[in-house]
Amino acid sequence: MSRRGQSAALASLRAADPVSCEEFGYGLGRPDGILVLKYRSMTRLAFGENRDDFLHQLYWSPDGLLSARHDRHTSFIGPDEVFWIHRAVTHEVHAADRQTIYRICLREVPAALDGLRAGAAAIDADAARLVLALTDRDYDECDAPASRSRIMAGLTPRAQSDNDRQSGGSGVAVTVGMALAHDPGDPTRLDEWAERLHVSVKTLQRDFVREFGMSYTRWRTRLRLRAALALLETLSVGEVAHRIGYASPSAFIAAFAREYGYTPGRAAARTHADVPAPSPRSGR
């Protein structure tokens, strides 16, 4: 794929400005301070390539997926994860439409993330709850230092998974991956993607295996089911099935059960009970 063609394909993913951006700062001038920026968007939102030499940053979306890039790596970040960026590391982050994104700025490095320049980290339920609390206009700022400490303690690094990639191929697979992260229900077939990106079907399929360790179909299925975990908190099983691209609720339920070992209904019940989201079965 030519550089011009790939640039054109990536340009289609560019996003508009957020509908709103609210700032919640608590002593950021001190080492123990924290700043939370809350973004809302009705269209795709991009934090273009940037670098902050003063602050460490965390990106988190509780209601959708993020695609995040640094160096030669791209990660797809679920709602139970954050994207960590050490200061002075160049990066970019993309979100889908109708998402809320939190950008958390720190002066100190969380102990568990010491030595990590950039990458995905798990965020536990209590830490996530406190991020939301910090953006409440009635929040008592006297509680901010304790909340900041608990948020930092609630982060753990995540090993690189098959939802991450490191550039070694032509780059067409990650172009498709970023588009699907923005819209997991996109029905575009592999041959249609290949035609759009001006490569052969075999080239695109090989690039998926090289970049993600699995076929396009398998990777898309896992991405869709991961997106479902976020949507099940607020939507019915039928609505989630439609949103992520399944022709029927029964097909979605069957795919979800194969992946996680129980039904979407049970996953929704676990979410409402503040139980961590399920992990895919090993060997799949």
Side-chain angles (χ1 to χ4, degrees):
M1 183 180 184
S2 68
R3 180 175 298 177
R4 182 178 179 181
Q6 188 168 337
S7 296
L10 288 171
S12 67
L13 303 177
R14 289 175 183 164
D17 291 333
V19 171
S20 67
C21 175
E22 299 176 87
E23 178 179 322
F24 303 87
Y26 303 94
L28 191 61
R30 304 190 306 269
D32 62 348
I34 184 171
L35 169 68
V36 181
L37 298 171
K38 180 180 180 180
Y39 300 85
R40 291 191 181 93
S41 179
M42 295 301 293
T43 59
R44 295 178 182 178
L45 178 61
F47 300 88
E49 186 172 272
N50 69 94
R51 188 188 76 193
D52 193 307
D53 294 340
F54 178 65
L55 298 171
H56 311 294
Q57 299 177 77
L58 298 160
Y59 293 83
W60 175 55
S61 176
D63 52 14
L65 290 167
L66 299 174
S67 58
R69 306 180 74 187
H70 75 97
D71 194 15
R72 300 174 66 186
H73 295 269
T74 296
S75 301
F76 297 94
I77 310 299
D80 58 344
E81 301 167 313
V82 297
F83 185 63
W84 160 256
I85 291 291
H86 194 281
R87 63 175 169 233
V89 174
T90 301
H91 63 283
E92 61 180 294
V93 175
H94 297 259
D97 58 346
R98 298 182 300 278
Q99 273 187 249
T100 303
I101 300 94
Y102 295 85
R103 192 176 188 179
I104 304 154
C105 303
L106 300 167
R107 295 283 307 280
E108 294 182 332
V109 177
L113 304 184
D114 189 27
L116 178 65
R117 286 176 52 79
I123 181 170
D124 67 27
D126 191 41
R129 178 184 61 78
L130 289 171
V131 171
L132 300 179
L134 286 170
T135 61
D136 187 329
R137 290 296 179 186
D138 296 326
Y139 182 78
D140 187 346
E141 63 179 282
C142 294
D143 297 331
S147 293
R148 169 193 168 277
S149 297
R150 179 62 190 84
I151 290 168
M152 293 177 68
L155 303 171
T156 53
R158 194 200 75 189
Q160 183 167 310
S161 73
D162 47 32
N163 283 324
D164 301 337
R165 52 78 75 175
Q166 180 172 357
S167 179
S170 62
V172 288
V174 77
T175 299
V176 175
M178 289 177 67
L180 290 177
H182 297 147
D183 182 10
D186 188 327
T188 305
R189 302 189 308 270
L190 182 68
D191 61 324
E192 294 172 327
W193 280 118
E195 181 179 2
R196 188 179 301 179
L197 296 172
H198 309 293
V199 297
S200 70
V201 173
K202 287 185 177 180
T203 294
L204 182 53
Q205 187 70 280
R206 281 198 301 266
D207 208 45
F208 256 92
V209 173
R210 176 167 47 233
E211 302 284 16
F212 298 109
M214 64 186 72
S215 69
Y216 165 77
T217 300
R218 176 63 182 142
W219 189 88
R220 184 179 66 174
T221 296
R222 296 194 72 171
L223 185 74
R224 285 178 169 180
L225 296 178
R226 197 174 184 191
L229 293 173
L231 297 173
L232 285 168
E233 184 174 0
T234 55
L235 300 179
S236 70
V237 170
E239 289 174 312
V240 172
H242 176 73
R243 182 74 65 86
I244 64 173
Y246 280 88
S248 67
S250 60
F252 165 55
I253 292 169
F256 192 98
R258 282 194 301 270
E259 187 75 12
Y260 296 120
Y262 48 85
T263 65
R266 282 189 59 196
R270 290 183 176 208
T271 298
H272 296 152
D274 288 329
V275 176
S279 298
R281 288 176 168 180
S282 60
R284 290 186 177 271

